[in-house]
Amino acid sequence: MKIERKTIVLLLAAVMLLATAAGAWYYQRQKERGSVPCAQQPPSGYSPYCLAQSQAAAGRGDRAAMAALVEYFEPRQPAQAILWTRAAAKLGEPRALKRVLSSCGTAGPFTLEEAQALLPAAPALEALNFRLGGSCAPADMAAARALVPADLLAAPDGAGLCKVALRFGMLRLSRDGAQLDSQAAQQLLAECERRQQVPAFVRQEAETVRQMLAREINPVRISVD
């Protein structure tokens, strides 16, 4: 059967229209996905597609996805970043836990009660630093008296060890810390000084506090964080 020329033209036009629409759809999908796979995109620069994927995973309880959303929303919508931090911390995500413990109290977005409730799930050094007064709660002297250096010296986290060592050393030099073990404090500070992965200025602070303890002189103001 002979097909009229006009019909052929219409069919060709329809095919071209469909091809154009398909190309536009494909281009838009590629634009949304980004030029690289989601796993290779930094969370702060997620494409719309990868953001949606991460939100879906976070909704299913994926801690890593929640942490990625914190990084994405931090410069854009800080309130959303706080919500995802809170959710991730409740599931034990280490970075979220650390942020809640270090940003609680009247000056931070998280409450003292929130931070205290998370202590059992926090890394040991972070939790101990909190209990020694390293955040929004006063120093727990009972926790300081119960500190056992041998339990901490094997910890691989040099920065965390130095925080605890400096905090404990300064507590020992305080009026309330007279009963704390000075030798234990000096032992921890000396270990901090040996940790080469720790910034030089922190190791210098550890040396200063250790020398103060050795001489039992009055403390000067030392930055721990």
Side-chain angles (χ1 to χ4, degrees):
M1 185 176 74
K2 185 177 181 180
I3 302 176
E4 294 184 3
R5 181 181 180 85
K6 182 178 180 181
T7 301
I8 294 174
V9 171
L10 289 174
L11 288 172
L12 289 174
V15 170
M16 292 179 64
L17 182 62
L18 287 173
T20 301
W25 177 84
Y26 179 78
Y27 174 79
Q28 182 63 29
R29 291 288 290 175
Q30 289 299 103
K31 183 178 179 181
E32 290 175 353
R33 286 175 179 266
S35 57
V36 296
C38 294
Q40 298 177 23
Q41 293 184 24
S44 59
Y46 269 164
S47 65
Y49 172 81
C50 294
L51 173 61
Q53 292 291 97
S54 188
Q55 288 175 318
R60 295 191 296 269
D62 187 317
R63 300 188 311 172
M66 292 179 184
L69 290 176
V70 172
E71 187 174 339
Y72 177 85
F73 284 113
E74 187 66 45
R76 298 172 174 85
Q77 300 177 42
Q80 282 292 319
I82 290 171
L83 290 176
W84 283 117
T85 299
R86 182 175 285 117
K90 288 180 179 178
L91 293 178
E93 203 285 318
R95 288 169 293 176
L97 283 168
K98 182 176 181 179
R99 182 175 180 184
V100 173
L101 295 182
S102 63
S103 305
C104 60
T106 56
F110 309 103
T111 67
L112 170 60
E113 292 73 21
E114 279 183 291
Q116 289 175 327
L118 293 171
L119 284 177
L125 291 174
E126 288 293 337
L128 183 55
N129 182 60
F130 181 94
R131 291 190 171 99
L132 295 180
S135 189
C136 59
D140 181 346
M141 298 308 293
R145 287 191 294 271
L147 185 148
V148 179
D151 294 342
L152 305 179
L153 293 176
D157 183 357
L161 175 73
C162 285
K163 279 186 178 182
V164 169
L166 284 163
R167 195 78 61 189
F168 185 67
M170 293 303 292
L171 274 178
R172 172 61 184 81
L173 287 167
S174 71
R175 182 178 302 174
D176 296 332
Q179 301 304 314
L180 297 180
D181 188 343
S182 180
Q183 290 300 315
Q186 292 180 59
Q187 185 180 9
L188 290 173
L189 290 163
E191 177 62 24
C192 174
E193 292 174 57
R194 285 192 287 268
R195 300 279 174 105
Q196 292 300 311
Q197 74 271 33
V198 175
F201 78 92
V202 176
R203 287 185 276 120
Q204 181 62 51
E205 289 181 349
E207 181 183 5
T208 300
V209 175
R210 181 176 56 78
Q211 291 174 349
M212 290 162 57
L213 284 167
R215 298 168 187 168
E216 290 295 326
I217 62 176
N218 293 327
V220 295
R221 182 173 180 80
I222 295 291
S223 170
V224 176
D225 299 315

